[in-house]
Amino acid sequence: MAAPSSKSFNLIHVDDHPIVNFGVKALLEETESIRLIASAATAADAITLARQHQPDLIVLDLVLGGRSGLELIPELLSVAENAGIIVYSALDERLYAQRAFAAGARGYVMKEAGLLALLEAIRTVAQGVPYASDAIKRALLEKSIKGKATSSPRGIEALSNQELYIFRLIGSGLSSSAIAEQLGISPKTVSSHRERIKNKLGLQTSRELERIAEEAYL
Protein backbone atom coordinates (compact mmCIF):
# COMPACT_ATOMS: atom_id res chain seq x y z
CA MET A 1 0.00 0.00 0.00
CA ALA A 2 1.26 3.45 -0.89
CA ALA A 3 2.30 5.49 2.13
CA PRO A 4 -0.01 8.39 2.98
CA SER A 5 1.35 11.84 2.11
CA SER A 6 1.51 14.80 4.46
CA LYS A 7 -0.13 16.84 1.71
CA SER A 8 -3.91 17.15 1.71
CA PHE A 9 -5.75 16.16 -1.47
CA ASN A 10 -9.20 17.39 -2.44
CA LEU A 11 -11.63 14.77 -3.77
CA ILE A 12 -15.01 14.74 -5.50
CA HIS A 13 -17.18 11.61 -5.34
CA VAL A 14 -19.58 10.82 -8.20
CA ASP A 15 -22.15 8.08 -7.51
CA ASP A 16 -25.95 7.95 -7.45
CA HIS A 17 -26.22 5.27 -4.75
CA PRO A 18 -26.86 6.81 -1.28
CA ILE A 19 -25.41 3.84 0.60
CA VAL A 20 -22.16 4.03 -1.38
CA ASN A 21 -22.02 7.78 -0.84
CA PHE A 22 -22.44 7.28 2.91
CA GLY A 23 -19.70 4.65 3.00
CA VAL A 24 -17.19 6.72 1.05
CA LYS A 25 -17.93 9.80 3.15
CA ALA A 26 -17.41 7.84 6.38
CA LEU A 27 -14.18 6.37 5.01
CA LEU A 28 -12.69 9.72 4.09
CA GLU A 29 -13.71 11.37 7.35
CA GLU A 30 -11.14 9.08 8.98
CA THR A 31 -8.46 9.88 6.41
CA GLU A 32 -6.55 13.04 7.23
CA SER A 33 -4.75 13.44 3.91
CA ILE A 34 -7.88 13.14 1.73
CA ARG A 35 -10.64 15.76 1.94
CA LEU A 36 -14.05 15.10 0.42
CA ILE A 37 -15.12 18.50 -0.88
CA ALA A 38 -18.21 17.65 -2.94
CA SER A 39 -20.45 14.81 -4.08
CA ALA A 40 -22.46 14.46 -7.27
CA ALA A 41 -25.16 12.03 -8.37
CA THR A 42 -25.37 13.03 -12.04
CA ALA A 43 -22.91 13.56 -14.88
CA ALA A 44 -23.95 17.20 -15.27
CA ASP A 45 -23.34 17.96 -11.59
CA ALA A 46 -20.01 16.12 -11.72
CA ILE A 47 -18.77 18.29 -14.58
CA THR A 48 -19.97 21.48 -12.85
CA LEU A 49 -18.27 20.56 -9.57
CA ALA A 50 -15.06 19.46 -11.27
CA ARG A 51 -14.85 22.76 -13.16
CA GLN A 52 -15.61 24.74 -10.00
CA HIS A 53 -13.34 22.97 -7.51
CA GLN A 54 -10.49 21.65 -9.70
CA PRO A 55 -10.07 18.59 -7.45
CA ASP A 56 -6.93 16.53 -7.13
CA LEU A 57 -8.96 13.33 -7.25
CA ILE A 58 -12.34 12.13 -8.54
CA VAL A 59 -13.92 8.82 -7.50
CA LEU A 60 -16.38 7.86 -10.23
CA ASP A 61 -19.01 5.17 -10.68
CA LEU A 62 -19.48 3.98 -14.27
CA VAL A 63 -23.26 3.55 -13.97
CA LEU A 64 -25.00 6.91 -13.79
CA GLY A 65 -28.58 7.51 -14.85
CA GLY A 66 -28.59 8.32 -18.54
CA ARG A 67 -24.83 8.47 -19.01
CA SER A 68 -21.92 6.08 -19.40
CA GLY A 69 -19.13 6.80 -16.94
CA LEU A 70 -16.62 5.76 -19.61
CA GLU A 71 -17.70 8.69 -21.76
CA LEU A 72 -17.77 11.00 -18.74
CA ILE A 73 -14.08 10.44 -17.91
CA PRO A 74 -12.64 12.54 -20.79
CA GLU A 75 -15.27 15.22 -20.17
CA LEU A 76 -14.20 15.52 -16.55
CA LEU A 77 -10.56 15.73 -17.59
CA SER A 78 -11.41 18.46 -20.08
CA VAL A 79 -12.57 20.72 -17.22
CA ALA A 80 -10.18 19.46 -14.50
CA GLU A 81 -7.17 18.18 -16.40
CA ASN A 82 -5.01 17.56 -13.32
CA ALA A 83 -7.55 15.35 -11.55
CA GLY A 84 -6.67 11.72 -10.96
CA ILE A 85 -9.81 9.70 -11.70
CA ILE A 86 -10.42 6.46 -9.82
CA VAL A 87 -13.29 4.31 -11.06
CA TYR A 88 -15.19 2.60 -8.24
CA SER A 89 -17.72 0.36 -9.92
CA ALA A 90 -19.65 -2.88 -9.66
CA LEU A 91 -18.93 -3.55 -13.33
CA ASP A 92 -16.49 -6.36 -14.08
CA GLU A 93 -12.95 -5.02 -14.28
CA ARG A 94 -12.04 -7.66 -16.88
CA LEU A 95 -14.29 -5.88 -19.37
CA TYR A 96 -14.27 -2.28 -18.18
CA ALA A 97 -10.90 -1.51 -16.55
CA GLN A 98 -8.87 -1.28 -19.74
CA ARG A 99 -11.56 0.92 -21.32
CA ALA A 100 -11.50 3.19 -18.27
CA PHE A 101 -7.71 3.54 -18.44
CA ALA A 102 -7.87 4.24 -22.16
CA ALA A 103 -10.40 7.00 -21.44
CA GLY A 104 -8.02 8.62 -18.97
CA ALA A 105 -8.72 7.03 -15.57
CA ARG A 106 -5.77 6.42 -13.25
CA GLY A 107 -7.31 3.71 -11.10
CA TYR A 108 -9.99 1.02 -11.16
CA VAL A 109 -11.52 -0.69 -8.13
CA MET A 110 -14.48 -3.06 -8.13
CA LYS A 111 -16.98 -2.32 -5.39
CA GLU A 112 -16.84 -5.92 -4.24
CA ALA A 113 -13.19 -5.33 -3.29
CA GLY A 114 -14.42 -3.01 -0.52
CA LEU A 115 -13.68 0.44 0.82
CA LEU A 116 -10.18 -0.36 2.05
CA ALA A 117 -9.17 -1.27 -1.50
CA LEU A 118 -10.67 2.04 -2.64
CA LEU A 119 -8.66 3.90 -0.02
CA GLU A 120 -5.48 2.20 -1.21
CA ALA A 121 -6.31 3.21 -4.78
CA ILE A 122 -7.00 6.82 -3.75
CA ARG A 123 -3.71 7.09 -1.88
CA THR A 124 -1.80 5.46 -4.73
CA VAL A 125 -3.25 7.72 -7.42
CA ALA A 126 -2.73 10.76 -5.18
CA GLN A 127 1.00 9.99 -5.34
CA GLY A 128 0.89 9.99 -9.13
CA VAL A 129 0.92 6.19 -9.52
CA PRO A 130 -1.79 4.29 -11.45
CA TYR A 131 -3.74 1.67 -9.52
CA ALA A 132 -5.17 -1.65 -10.73
CA SER A 133 -5.77 -5.06 -9.23
CA ASP A 134 -3.16 -7.76 -9.74
CA ALA A 135 -5.51 -9.53 -12.18
CA ILE A 136 -5.79 -6.46 -14.39
CA LYS A 137 -2.05 -5.81 -14.25
CA ARG A 138 -1.46 -9.34 -15.52
CA ALA A 139 -4.07 -8.95 -18.26
CA LEU A 140 -2.58 -5.66 -19.45
CA LEU A 141 0.93 -7.12 -19.38
CA GLU A 142 -0.15 -10.14 -21.40
CA LYS A 143 -1.83 -7.92 -23.96
CA SER A 144 1.27 -5.73 -24.17
CA ILE A 145 3.50 -8.78 -24.72
CA LYS A 146 1.23 -10.14 -27.46
CA GLY A 147 1.02 -6.68 -28.99
CA LYS A 148 0.01 -6.37 -32.63
CA ALA A 149 0.28 -10.10 -33.12
CA THR A 150 -3.15 -10.51 -31.56
CA SER A 151 -6.22 -10.59 -33.74
CA SER A 152 -8.80 -7.83 -33.75
CA PRO A 153 -11.09 -7.65 -30.69
CA ARG A 154 -13.98 -10.06 -30.82
CA GLY A 155 -17.34 -10.40 -29.14
CA ILE A 156 -18.22 -7.92 -26.44
CA GLU A 157 -14.68 -6.52 -26.46
CA ALA A 158 -15.27 -5.29 -30.01
CA LEU A 159 -18.14 -3.03 -28.93
CA SER A 160 -17.53 0.69 -28.63
CA ASN A 161 -18.11 2.31 -25.23
CA GLN A 162 -21.49 3.61 -26.36
CA GLU A 163 -22.47 0.22 -27.80
CA LEU A 164 -21.36 -1.51 -24.60
CA TYR A 165 -23.51 0.86 -22.55
CA ILE A 166 -26.55 0.24 -24.75
CA PHE A 167 -25.82 -3.51 -24.63
CA ARG A 168 -25.96 -3.30 -20.83
CA LEU A 169 -29.24 -1.36 -20.93
CA ILE A 170 -30.71 -4.01 -23.23
CA GLY A 171 -29.62 -6.65 -20.75
CA SER A 172 -31.32 -4.77 -17.93
CA GLY A 173 -34.63 -5.24 -19.74
CA LEU A 174 -35.16 -1.76 -21.16
CA SER A 175 -36.96 -1.43 -24.48
CA SER A 176 -35.48 0.55 -27.36
CA SER A 177 -37.83 3.45 -26.67
CA ALA A 178 -36.88 3.48 -22.99
CA ILE A 179 -33.17 3.43 -23.89
CA ALA A 180 -33.70 6.29 -26.33
CA GLU A 181 -35.44 8.34 -23.66
CA GLN A 182 -32.75 7.63 -21.06
CA LEU A 183 -29.90 8.53 -23.41
CA GLY A 184 -31.63 11.47 -25.05
CA ILE A 185 -31.34 10.01 -28.55
CA SER A 186 -33.89 8.88 -31.12
CA PRO A 187 -35.32 5.34 -31.23
CA LYS A 188 -33.91 5.13 -34.77
CA THR A 189 -30.40 5.73 -33.39
CA VAL A 190 -30.93 3.01 -30.81
CA SER A 191 -32.04 0.64 -33.57
CA SER A 192 -28.88 1.42 -35.52
CA HIS A 193 -26.79 0.66 -32.43
CA ARG A 194 -28.65 -2.60 -31.92
CA GLU A 195 -27.90 -3.66 -35.49
CA ARG A 196 -24.20 -2.87 -35.11
CA ILE A 197 -24.08 -4.77 -31.83
CA LYS A 198 -25.76 -7.80 -33.43
CA ASN A 199 -23.27 -7.73 -36.32
CA LYS A 200 -20.27 -7.51 -34.01
CA LEU A 201 -21.55 -10.34 -31.86
CA GLY A 202 -22.54 -12.49 -34.84
CA LEU A 203 -26.21 -12.58 -33.85
CA GLN A 204 -29.13 -12.93 -36.23
CA THR A 205 -32.19 -11.83 -34.29
CA SER A 206 -33.23 -9.26 -31.71
CA ARG A 207 -34.26 -12.07 -29.38
CA GLU A 208 -30.75 -13.51 -29.51
CA LEU A 209 -29.34 -10.08 -28.69
CA GLU A 210 -31.69 -9.64 -25.74
CA ARG A 211 -30.85 -13.10 -24.38
CA ILE A 212 -27.08 -12.60 -24.63
CA ALA A 213 -27.34 -9.10 -23.18
CA GLU A 214 -29.42 -10.38 -20.26
CA GLU A 215 -26.90 -13.15 -19.55
CA ALA A 216 -24.04 -10.63 -19.60
CA TYR A 217 -25.97 -8.21 -17.39
CA LEU A 218 -26.73 -10.87 -14.80
Side-chain angles (χ1 to χ4, degrees), residues 110-175:
M110 289 188 65
K111 286 181 177 177
E112 68 178 30
L115 289 171
L116 291 181
L118 174 62
L119 181 58
E120 180 179 357
I122 290 171
R123 287 174 166 168
T124 300
V125 173
Q127 301 308 312
V129 180
Y131 179 91
S133 70
D134 289 340
I136 293 303
K137 289 176 184 176
R138 287 194 298 270
L140 293 175
L141 179 59
E142 289 174 2
K143 184 167 184 178
S144 177
I145 291 173
K146 293 177 182 177
K148 296 182 179 179
T150 58
S151 59
S152 299
R154 296 180 179 180
I156 295 177
E157 290 187 358
L159 302 181
S160 70
N161 289 340
Q162 178 76 337
E163 290 165 351
L164 181 61
Y165 189 60
I166 290 174
F167 181 70
R168 186 179 186 279
L169 293 178
I170 294 169
S172 73
L174 291 183
S175 65

